[in-house]
Amino acid sequence: MNVCGSLALAMEEQAKVVGAAFVDHYYHLFDHDRTALISLYHPTSMLTFEGQRIQGADHISAKINQLPFDQCHHVISTVDCQPSAFAGGVVVFVSGSLQLEGEEHPLRFSQCRCFS
């Protein structure tokens, strides 16, 4: 393997480590302390939720904390991570299901997060 191939492999492994850590941390907070999620967003962060575009940490936090349920449990099905050409960042795509208290059937969800 040449130097470029070794570097690409190292970047892919780093992306997997970053992605896995993000997923573990984010969904633990979402399930146990949603108000703490604000620390993971910044003024230029963007959330699209059911067609509604929301920008900024305060607005995103307000939206997440206004969801019509108090307790939930995420079950992660897939985590796909890759290096991003933008500023040495990482792209993380997550899919899974969300079980709400008192509901028989889980809801499906997906999230794409870009870090730079």
Side-chain angles (χ1 to χ4, degrees):
M1 183 177 297
N2 62 28
V3 173
C4 290
S6 295
L7 181 58
L9 187 58
M11 290 173 62
E12 287 180 30
E13 286 303 314
Q14 185 178 20
K16 287 180 185 178
V17 169
V18 169
F22 163 74
V23 169
D24 288 346
H25 184 62
Y26 185 91
Y27 291 102
H28 176 80
L29 289 178
F30 197 110
D31 291 352
H32 298 97
D33 184 12
R34 260 187 271 171
T35 59
L37 288 173
I38 193 170
S39 66
L40 300 179
Y41 294 98
H42 50 80
T44 60
S45 294
M46 180 74 72
L47 170 72
T48 303
F49 183 82
E50 297 180 343
Q52 179 185 11
R53 295 182 76 186
I54 304 158
Q55 184 171 359
D58 292 333
H59 292 113
I60 293 171
S61 180
K63 178 64 178 180
I64 291 171
N65 288 296
Q66 291 171 358
L67 293 172
F69 52 86
D70 291 325
Q71 295 187 1
C72 64
H73 176 70
H74 286 86
V75 177
I76 306 302
S77 300
T78 63
V79 178
D80 295 315
C81 310
Q82 66 185 41
S84 169
F86 180 72
V90 176
V91 176
V92 180
F93 180 81
V94 184
S95 67
S97 59
L98 173 66
Q99 185 65 54
L100 301 178
E101 185 176 31
E103 294 293 327
E104 182 179 349
H105 302 288
L107 304 171
R108 300 289 301 159
F109 78 93
S110 61
Q111 179 178 16
C112 184
R113 181 78 185 244
C114 302
F115 300 94
S116 57

